[in-house]
């Protein structure tokens, strides 16, 4: 293991820290399942400058991990914005394919951590592993300890926009994960009648869908928070929520990170790979119906197999009316 220090140079100026770069140029949920690995690296390299290569909009979420700077990176379309030889330790948490490995190789780092490939040794890729376990296992092979259940994030510095509310996150990145709006509305109506203060969250592109669900549920328009919350405030709202109901999205992973009770609806992705850690979380899916096409426009049959009654029963199992 290589740990850098800041020793004064000849002119009394501290030497630049050695740099560690983590490549995971994906979305919010991908960042959150990598938190155990990121924490392990932070502990193992306390003298390094830590960078995380991903899309720039994740900056506020990365701040909640602590210790990392975001290097804006749009997927694997372009080379990483670092000159060869600048990085001391390069860690591939993106995948094991030639695209991500070539981006890592171009850094010409002194130490590289990744899965087994043409130019580097490492553990063989195992598609059956849970994502948290996958990256912890990778680091263990390279001599870095991490705990796959160490998913907690720092408390956001901004307040929740709806303390104690029940959050229905009605959007998702792909149509395959979109539970029908009518079902979300039926859940919202039932929870409202049971005394829950229901709010609807999502991105700005999901605001129309959230408005539709709100209207169908017969709830006030101000219940729609979709498109209004910066990422840090969204995290604060989830952390202070009474309950989160969501598809397999970043909202569900935030609920895991803060121990917020959640009901998570799975469609194309198997919960054995992406599901929440032990805690007040209930997973709902119909695995026998799963088609597994993440990029499909229509909801996966495994998701459509989950009923309104299933969700309300899961809420009750969490001890909530």
């Amino acid at each position: 293991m290589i740990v850098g220090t800041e020793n004064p140079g000849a002119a009394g100026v501290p030497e630049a820290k050695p740099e560690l770069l983590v490549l995971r140029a994906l979305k919010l949920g991908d960042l959150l399942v990598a938190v155990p690995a990121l924490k392990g690296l932070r502990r193992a390299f306390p003298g390094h400058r830590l960078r995380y290569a991903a899309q720039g909009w994740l900056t506020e979420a990365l701040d909640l991990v602590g210790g990392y700077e975001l290097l804006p990176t749009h997927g694997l379309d372009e080379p990483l914005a670092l000159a060869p030889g600048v990085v001391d330790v390069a860690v591939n948490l993106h995948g094991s394919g030639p695209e991500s490995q070539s981006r890592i190789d171009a850094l010409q780092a002194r130490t590289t951590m990744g899965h087994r490939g043409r130019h580097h040794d490492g553990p063989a890729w195992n598609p059956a592993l849970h994502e948290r376990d996958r990256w912890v296992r990778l680091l263990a092979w390279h001599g870095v300890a991490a705990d796959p259940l160490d998913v907690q994030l720092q408390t956001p510095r901004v307040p929740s926009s709806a303390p104690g509310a029940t959050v229905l996150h009605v959007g998702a990145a792909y149509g395959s994960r979109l539970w029908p709006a009518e079902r979300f509305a039926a859940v919202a109506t039932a929870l409202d009648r049971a005394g829950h203060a229901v709010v609807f969250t999502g991105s700005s592109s999901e605001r129309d869908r959230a408005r539709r669900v709100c209207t169908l549920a017969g709830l006030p328009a101000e219940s729609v928070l979709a498109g209004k919350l910066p990422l840090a405030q969204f995290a604060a709202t989830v952390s202070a929520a009474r309950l989160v109901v969501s598809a397999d999205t970043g909202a569900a992973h935030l609920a895991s990170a803060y121990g917020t009770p959640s009901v998570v609806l799975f469609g194309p992705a198997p919960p054995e790979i992406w599901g929440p850690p032990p805690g007040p979380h209930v997973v709902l899916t119909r695995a026998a119906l799963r088609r597994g096409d993440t990029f499909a426009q229509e909801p996966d049959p495994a998701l459509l197999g989950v009923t309104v009654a299933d969700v309300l029963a899961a809420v009750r199992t969490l001890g909530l009316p």
Side-chain angles (χ1 to χ4, degrees):
M1 182 184 303
I2 304 166
V3 179
T5 59
E6 284 188 284
N7 296 320
V13 178
E15 294 180 358
K17 289 183 177 181
E19 299 206 10
L20 181 148
L21 185 283
V22 174
L23 173 62
R24 191 163 173 80
L26 298 165
K27 299 181 184 298
L28 176 60
D30 303 285
L31 164 62
L32 297 177
V33 295
V35 165
L38 295 175
K39 287 185 173 183
L41 288 167
R42 188 178 64 200
R43 288 190 296 268
F45 295 92
H48 279 61
R49 178 186 184 184
L50 307 178
R51 290 189 175 188
Y52 182 86
Q55 298 181 57
W57 65 271
L58 287 171
T59 297
E60 292 183 358
L62 186 64
D63 288 344
L64 299 174
V65 179
Y68 285 83
E69 303 170 41
L70 192 135
L71 179 71
T73 302
H74 185 68
L76 301 176
D77 299 337
E78 300 176 357
L80 295 167
L82 290 171
V86 168
V87 173
D88 180 52
V89 180
V91 185
N92 186 354
L93 298 189
H94 190 99
S96 65
E99 295 87 357
S100 61
Q101 289 190 6
S102 67
R103 295 302 181 212
I104 290 290
D105 289 345
L107 295 173
Q108 298 180 20
R110 187 151 61 97
T111 299
T112 296
M113 299 184 189
H115 284 88
R116 187 178 306 160
R118 287 193 305 168
H119 306 298
H120 303 286
D121 202 3
W125 180 270
N126 182 347
L129 288 176
H130 193 286
E131 279 290 294
R132 292 188 303 274
D133 294 320
R134 178 188 319 286
W135 307 115
V136 167
R137 171 178 173 264
L138 169 67
L139 295 188
W141 194 96
H142 290 282
V144 174
D147 179 356
L149 298 182
D150 188 10
V151 299
Q152 294 78 20
L153 295 174
Q154 297 178 7
T155 302
R157 297 179 182 178
V158 297
S160 166
S161 56
T166 286
V167 173
L168 267 61
H169 192 79
V170 300
Y174 305 107
S176 62
R177 297 180 181 177
L178 288 178
W179 203 48
E182 295 79 8
R183 298 190 198 181
F184 265 121
V187 168
T189 299
L191 293 178
D192 175 70
R193 290 173 178 171
H196 291 246
V198 177
V199 297
F200 304 96
T201 59
S203 66
S204 57
S205 64
E206 295 161 348
R207 183 165 173 78
D208 287 346
R209 174 175 166 86
R211 284 173 170 166
R212 179 171 177 238
V213 173
C214 180
T215 299
L216 290 171
L219 296 182
E222 55 266 27
S223 302
V224 177
L225 302 181
K228 295 182 177 180
L229 305 180
L231 192 49
Q233 193 167 20
F234 175 51
T237 300
V238 170
S239 71
R242 180 183 185 185
L243 169 71
V244 173
V245 180
S246 171
D248 171 31
T249 66
H253 294 294
L254 282 171
S256 295
Y258 290 114
T260 302
S262 64
V263 179
V264 188
L265 316 179
F266 274 82
E272 296 81 11
I273 306 296
W274 290 95
H281 315 294
V282 179
V283 166
L284 297 177
T285 190
R286 291 288 183 271
L289 303 178
R290 179 169 294 116
R291 184 180 298 138
D293 182 0
T294 299
F295 305 107
Q297 296 183 0
E298 298 300 320
D300 193 279
L303 183 66
L304 293 178
V306 177
T307 67
V308 171
D310 291 333
V311 173
L312 296 177
V315 172
R316 290 192 292 272
T317 67
L318 291 169
L320 299 171

